[in-house]
Amino acid sequence: MFRKIAAGVAAVIVLFVIVVASRPSKFHVERSIDIAAPPQFAFEKVNDFHAWVDWSPYEKLDPKMQRTFEGPRAGTGAVYAWSSEAGAGAGRMTLQKSESPSLVTIELVFLKPMQATDVATFTFAPTATGTKATWALDGDMNFVSKAFGLFMDMDKMIGGDFERGLVSLKAIAESSAKSRVEASN
């Protein structure tokens, strides 16, 4: 009887390993929003890590979060690191590419609660009514991440955060554009 139970448990474990190993090794999460302002207004808020406190949903996870900045204030080479005892964990972002007003690419290194290195991409495409802003995140999935993905979908886990962030970015960009127009009149 013990051998049959052990064989059954071993078969379940082997099946689990096969299922996890066959899952995709990369993930992609993406959300977009239309902004009634030229691309430059949203681009400026993403290209400067100091401005993230105004729109990023992750900035609101821990009011006591420790933040440090290195390199230039904005653009390629700017670095932002954070550490939190509450929900934000710890990590570091390095702005790798800044093409005004259309693209910001960021290397995102998570240190806590788990280690990972991903790439965040923000694109700002002009439209007839303003800008289509897109926030995307791409990364690799190791075996543990793939197993976790069986129970938690990455898109569902962070997609809502991206949506909230883009809504805040939209409000700030539209307000900034309106203020500049009013100031020039």
Side-chain angles (χ1 to χ4, degrees), residues 63-81:
K64 296 179 182 177
M65 183 165 44
Q66 301 294 312
R67 298 167 182 87
T68 59
F69 301 93
E70 299 172 24
R73 178 172 178 96
T76 303
V79 176
Y80 169 59

Side-chain angles (χ1 to χ4, degrees), residues 22-102:
S22 67
R23 295 189 46 84
S25 61
K26 297 192 177 293
F27 73 87
H28 177 81
V29 177
E30 180 177 306
R31 296 293 189 275
S32 296
I33 197 166
D34 290 322
I35 298 174
Q40 187 65 31
F41 291 91
F43 172 85
E44 290 170 355
K45 300 300 179 188
V46 175
N47 193 52
D48 180 354
F49 287 138
H50 297 87
W52 283 49
V53 72
D54 298 328
W55 66 268
S56 172
Y58 302 110
E59 291 290 331
K60 295 165 184 44
L61 292 176
D62 179 7
K64 296 179 182 177
M65 183 165 44
Q66 301 294 312
R67 298 167 182 87
T68 59
F69 301 93
E70 299 172 24
R73 178 172 178 96
T76 303
V79 176
Y80 169 59
W82 74 94
S83 180
S84 167
E85 296 303 319
R92 179 181 180 92
M93 296 191 295
T94 304
L95 209 146
Q96 293 185 318
K97 186 184 269 188
S98 174
E99 296 176 1
S100 180
S102 59

Side-chain angles (χ1 to χ4, degrees), residues 56-58 61 135 156-166:
S56 172
Y58 302 110
L61 292 176
W135 184 357
K156 289 180 183 172
M157 193 167 78
I158 63 174
D161 294 338
F162 284 16
E163 291 166 8
R164 283 186 296 282
L166 288 169

Side-chain angles (χ1 to χ4, degrees), residues 81-144:
W82 74 94
S83 180
S84 167
E85 296 303 319
R92 179 181 180 92
M93 296 191 295
T94 304
L95 209 146
Q96 293 185 318
K97 186 184 269 188
S98 174
E99 296 176 1
S100 180
S102 59
L103 174 72
V104 174
T105 304
I106 299 165
E107 178 188 55
L108 184 54
V109 178
F110 295 99
L111 304 172
K112 287 190 323 187
M114 60 187 129
Q115 294 185 356
T117 300
D118 301 323
V119 175
T121 305
F122 292 84
T123 56
F124 308 97
T127 66
T129 58
T131 301
K132 178 181 179 184
T134 302
W135 184 357
L137 184 68
D138 293 279
D140 294 322
M141 303 278 281
N142 62 22
F143 185 84
V144 173

